[in-house]
Amino acid sequence: MLNVETRHAIDPATAKAFDTETLRQHFHVAGIFRDGEIRLIYTHYDRMIVGGAVPGGASLTLDKVAEAGTESLLDRREMVVVNIGGDGTVSAAGSDHAMVRGDMLYLGMGSGPVTFAGEGRFYILSAPAHSTHPTRLIRIAEAATITLGSAEAANARTIYQFVHPDVTKACQLVVGLTRLEPGSIWNTMPAHVHDRRSEAYLYIDLPESARAIHLMGEPTETRHLVLKNEEGAISPPWSIHAGAGTSAYTFIWAMAGDNVDYKDVDMVAMETLR
């Protein structure tokens, strides 16, 4: 029922020598949504956990994860759960939260075991916490929104900020999603880095035959991952994170690190990219 994989941190000099398969072994996120299972990736990038839970109409409970070193996972952690599937329920700290596709649930430190039920496909994000903040279910209508880009630049998109200082308090997780307009394919371009925070991407709403080309690496040593629907990437602090798809898509982004300032980034000029 529970499967946990550990990913150790890779420095940029080491990453330069990776071939495609080795790059994917360290940074590619895939196979985390399997019926009847909770599958987690425990990373050494700000100790962020990414994963998935698919109850398949039954229920699954996430409690002790040995890699976290506590009796229950949320004893010293916070969590965000995103429903990317059908209607489902997430239960924690004595409360049940009915979630439809696109909802995000913030669970504060000390929320105890988490139970997933129904037809949902739940994307899990967790990071260490130093204080407790209230649990909150956030629907897309409650998210803060930013509209960026243009059809001419093929990057017209709307950013929905769910777990963000303007919406709800958290210790270090900042989570939201970005939707591309039909005909637009580019995200987060011009690119940036934020050495003070790690990030994780999950690409959704891609047709079966479509792919997202996720750009990563140092600005002058870029690399790429080819991703299909419900796959993602772990983005270390030294790496850019941008991409393009063969069709419009949505991606869920999540950050953890020194601060929760969404604008704390170092922009990369287009002429710098190699």
Side-chain angles (χ1 to χ4, degrees):
M1 187 273 288
L2 176 63
N3 180 290
V4 184
E5 175 190 356
T6 296
R7 301 274 184 98
H8 292 281
I10 302 298
D11 67 272
T14 300
K16 287 181 183 181
F18 286 172
D19 62 11
T20 298
E21 184 57 34
T22 307
L23 197 73
R24 291 173 74 86
Q25 287 173 3
H26 287 280
F27 302 109
H28 181 210
V29 174
I32 59 173
F33 300 105
R34 297 189 183 179
D35 283 352
E37 294 187 38
I38 299 173
R39 301 181 69 87
L40 306 177
I41 300 174
Y42 180 95
T43 84
H44 283 244
Y45 300 105
D46 293 297
R47 303 288 169 168
M48 187 187 293
I49 291 174
V50 301
V54 185
S59 65
L60 297 169
T61 297
L62 177 59
D63 190 7
K64 183 178 177 66
V65 175
E67 287 76 3
T70 53
E71 190 60 33
S72 187
L73 179 62
L74 296 185
D75 284 352
R76 293 182 58 83
R77 282 180 165 269
E78 60 186 357
M79 179 182 290
V80 173
V81 179
V82 188
N83 187 4
I84 64 169
D87 295 356
T89 302
V90 177
S91 303
S95 296
D96 300 330
H97 306 276
M99 299 181 68
V100 302
R101 182 178 174 85
D103 287 351
M104 294 195 189
L105 175 66
Y106 174 79
L107 297 171
M109 182 179 72
S111 294
V114 183
T115 298
F116 306 91
E119 300 300 329
R121 296 171 73 79
F122 299 104
Y123 181 45
I124 297 168
L125 298 151
S126 178
H130 57 272
S131 60
T132 298
H133 296 290
T135 291
R136 182 176 173 185
L137 175 63
I138 308 164
R139 305 194 189 278
I140 196 164
E142 301 171 288
T145 59
I146 303 172
T147 301
L148 294 176
S150 66
E152 291 77 12
N155 66 353
R157 62 199 189 274
T158 301
I159 299 171
Y160 297 86
Q161 300 168 331
F162 285 74
V163 180
H164 181 279
D166 290 342
V167 180
T168 196
K169 285 189 175 182
C171 285
Q172 61 169 318
L173 281 173
V174 182
V175 186
L177 63 83
T178 300
R179 283 181 175 164
L180 279 291
E181 297 295 329
S184 288
I185 61 170
W186 280 102
N187 72 69
T188 325
M189 185 61 73
H192 61 254
V193 297
H194 35 63
D195 197 52
R196 293 156 292 281
R197 290 174 293 168
S198 304
E199 189 156 2
Y201 270 49
L202 182 75
Y203 291 85
I204 59 174
D205 297 337
L206 278 165
E208 181 63 30
S209 61
R211 293 294 183 269
I213 312 302
H214 180 86
L215 299 180
M216 61 171 298
E218 293 180 285
T220 57
E221 284 282 347
T222 60
R223 299 290 188 269
H224 70 271
L225 300 170
V226 179
L227 308 176
K228 61 183 181 180
N229 190 49
E230 296 188 356
E231 292 188 347
I234 296 165
S235 182
W238 48 264
S239 175
I240 66 166
H241 37 79
T246 59
S247 70
Y249 54 92
T250 301
F251 67 92
I252 299 166
W253 43 266
M255 295 177 282
D258 269 340
N259 61 53
V260 293
D261 182 358
Y262 182 81
K263 296 180 181 179
D264 179 18
V265 301
D266 299 311
M267 298 303 297
V268 176
M270 291 297 292
E271 56 268 27
T272 302
L273 292 177
R274 297 288 187 272

